[in-house]
Amino acid sequence: MKQYLVGLDEAGRGSLAGPVAAGCVLLPSDFPTGILNDSKKLSPKKRLKAESLIKEEACWGVALIDHRIIDAINILQASLLAMKQAYFAMLASLPDWALAHGLGKISSANLAAIADGTFCPDVSCAVSCEPHADATYPPVMAASILAKTCRDRLMAESYDKLYPQYGYAKHKGYPTPEHLQVCRELGPSPIQRLTFSLGKETVIYSN
């Protein structure tokens, strides 16, 4: 039975606000993998170019888990849940994608997944995990690109407009000095992850 490698990765795990995103990608055999890399190592222009081609040529899924669920179940479990949901979104598109690419019937029995990191999501195929897989395996690189572009777009185009004083278009919710300062001055935004702490501080907000 022919096996196909599926890549899984997340974006936004270290952010203090907004959702965590995940991507899942099955690349066609003729995909130009030279355009791929760990999403953090690509320029925004190259990420968007790669995102467009991945969505055009690959079988893919993306999922978002919001800040309330992150606070309820913790960021690790939320990241794994996002990868699981991205996988099943990809799987729903798989029959039509396989038919369009002349591959016949493909099911989860034909898939093997690899996730970036040290924990595996609960998916319906054989799955392994590996630190820095997003710098090693093209399908994981592609998944990291979809996750990051999806989340960055949401933070910059939606949440920054809703809460402009927090500067989400600039830092995407990550703990930059500017972000920490505005949180201390204004308190948490409506999309803040309230269970997150920084270093020796138990909270980052003043009363």
Side-chain angles (χ1 to χ4, degrees), residues 46-66:
K46 288 183 177 180
R47 275 199 303 269
L48 291 174
K49 182 179 178 180
E51 177 198 29
S52 179
L53 192 58
I54 293 163
K55 288 184 172 180
E56 181 180 340
E57 300 291 340
C59 188
W60 59 276
V62 170
L64 292 159
I65 301 298
D66 76 16

Side-chain angles (χ1 to χ4, degrees), residues 6-126:
V6 170
L8 293 156
D9 199 10
E10 54 75 27
R13 184 168 173 173
S15 177
L16 302 179
V20 64
C24 178
V25 178
L26 170 58
L27 295 172
S29 60
D30 60 350
F31 191 87
T33 56
I35 71 169
L36 303 176
N37 201 341
D38 174 358
S39 63
K40 297 183 292 296
K41 297 179 180 178
L42 294 173
S43 68
K45 184 177 180 179
K46 288 183 177 180
R47 275 199 303 269
L48 291 174
K49 182 179 178 180
E51 177 198 29
S52 179
L53 192 58
I54 293 163
K55 288 184 172 180
E56 181 180 340
E57 300 291 340
C59 188
W60 59 276
V62 170
L64 292 159
I65 301 298
D66 76 16
H67 61 286
R68 290 163 292 193
I69 298 176
I70 292 170
D71 281 340
I73 66 174
N74 77 48
I75 186 59
L76 171 60
Q77 294 305 317
S79 298
L80 294 174
L81 179 59
M83 285 193 276
K84 178 179 179 177
Q85 291 186 1
Y87 169 85
F88 282 104
M90 180 282 302
L91 196 63
S93 301
L94 186 56
D96 289 343
W97 180 85
L99 183 64
H101 285 75
L103 299 176
K105 185 177 180 181
I106 303 178
S107 70
S108 58
N110 300 99
L111 303 178
I114 182 162
D116 182 58
T118 55
F119 294 89
C120 295
D122 179 18
V123 297
S124 62
C125 70

Side-chain angles (χ1 to χ4, degrees), residues 87-181:
Y87 169 85
F88 282 104
M90 180 282 302
L91 196 63
S93 301
L94 186 56
D96 289 343
W97 180 85
L99 183 64
H101 285 75
L103 299 176
K105 185 177 180 181
I106 303 178
S107 70
S108 58
N110 300 99
L111 303 178
I114 182 162
D116 182 58
T118 55
F119 294 89
C120 295
D122 179 18
V123 297
S124 62
C125 70
V127 58
S128 60
C129 51
E130 184 176 316
H132 311 300
D134 56 356
T136 306
Y137 301 93
V140 185
M141 296 176 190
S144 78
I145 290 167
L146 292 195
K148 182 165 177 57
T149 54
C150 172
R151 187 181 185 279
D152 283 359
R153 188 175 295 115
L154 179 66
M155 297 300 292
E157 297 181 5
S158 296
Y159 290 133
D160 187 69
K161 290 179 172 61
L162 288 170
Y163 316 112
Q165 64 271 43
Y166 286 89
Y168 288 134
K170 182 178 180 181
H171 54 68
K172 313 301 189 296
Y174 285 93
T176 64
E178 295 81 7
H179 185 200
L180 299 181
Q181 185 61 33

Side-chain angles (χ1 to χ4, degrees), residues 14-16 173-177 179-181 183-184 192-205:
S15 177
L16 302 179
Y174 285 93
T176 64
H179 185 200
L180 299 181
Q181 185 61 33
C183 286
R184 292 187 180 100
Q192 217 76 35
R193 300 175 186 177
L194 299 178
T195 55
F196 276 41
S197 63
L198 289 175
K200 296 180 180 179
E201 298 179 74
T202 56
V203 294
I204 62 172
Y205 315 114

